[in-house]
Amino acid sequence: MVKPADLTVQSIALDADSLQQGAASNGIATIVENRLGDTNTAAAIIDSTKIVFRRNGSDVSSQFSVTPTISPSTVPGGLSRTFNYSMDVLPSAELGWVKIYQELWYRDSNSDIQYHHLSSVVDSFYVKEHGVISITSIQPSQNTVTSGQDST
């Protein structure tokens, strides 16, 4: 008898340990397994997936924009698949540590039973303030300029 699909997130990796507010195109890669090594397992059909961001247990996902770049539609029994995302930190994101989770909604290819999985594996990163440059004044290097003076 074929075992039902059973997805788990094996790893989540962000390509940086800290990001500034407004940082764009940051890569997130996750590895999702369906009873790795057990080929007597039904395929999992992916209905949807998303990246969830939490700070101190609160959902702060609205402070980030995530776009899937590689999103497999199935995970065969006994195998794993990599999901890739591009993430932008909104300029108004709160400063501090953030944990990244992956959430999956999928169906067993044999029974069509629907399942939900929120990863217990996480990655984390620090949101830091973006750099700000301001010009407070412009001062001439000399008090007077001579007519006909050349700039060299």
Side-chain angles (χ1 to χ4, degrees), residues 10-69:
Q10 182 60 34
S11 68
I12 298 176
L14 174 66
D15 61 7
D17 292 331
S18 65
L19 296 169
Q20 288 185 348
Q21 294 166 315
S25 301
N26 304 285
I28 299 173
T30 69
I31 297 175
V32 176
E33 298 177 348
N34 184 6
R35 296 187 193 261
L36 190 62
D38 187 349
T39 56
N40 192 34
T41 301
I45 301 166
I46 307 298
D47 290 324
S48 66
T49 177
K50 74 175 186 176
I51 298 296
V52 177
F53 300 89
R54 291 189 176 159
R55 178 180 293 111
N56 299 323
S58 297
D59 189 332
V60 293
S61 298
S62 64
Q63 298 177 21
F64 306 89
S65 173
V66 178
T67 305
T69 55

Side-chain angles (χ1 to χ4, degrees), residues 14 17 43 62-63 66 75 79-80 83 87 93 113 115 124 136 148:
L14 174 66
D17 292 331
S62 64
Q63 298 177 21
V66 178
V75 180
L79 299 176
S80 64
F83 291 71
M87 183 263 288
I113 293 175
Y115 296 96
S124 60
T136 57

Side-chain angles (χ1 to χ4, degrees), residues 93-129:
E94 295 175 36
L95 306 180
W97 285 101
V98 177
K99 290 184 178 179
I100 307 169
Y101 300 79
Q102 184 178 25
E103 198 164 11
L104 300 159
W105 291 265
Y106 65 97
R107 290 176 284 126
D108 181 284
S109 64
N110 288 339
S111 68
D112 209 35
I113 293 175
Q114 294 182 326
Y115 296 96
H116 171 258
H117 176 74
L118 177 64
S119 65
S120 57
V121 173
V122 300
D123 194 5
S124 60
F125 66 100
Y126 190 83
V127 176
K128 57 186 179 179
E129 190 171 17

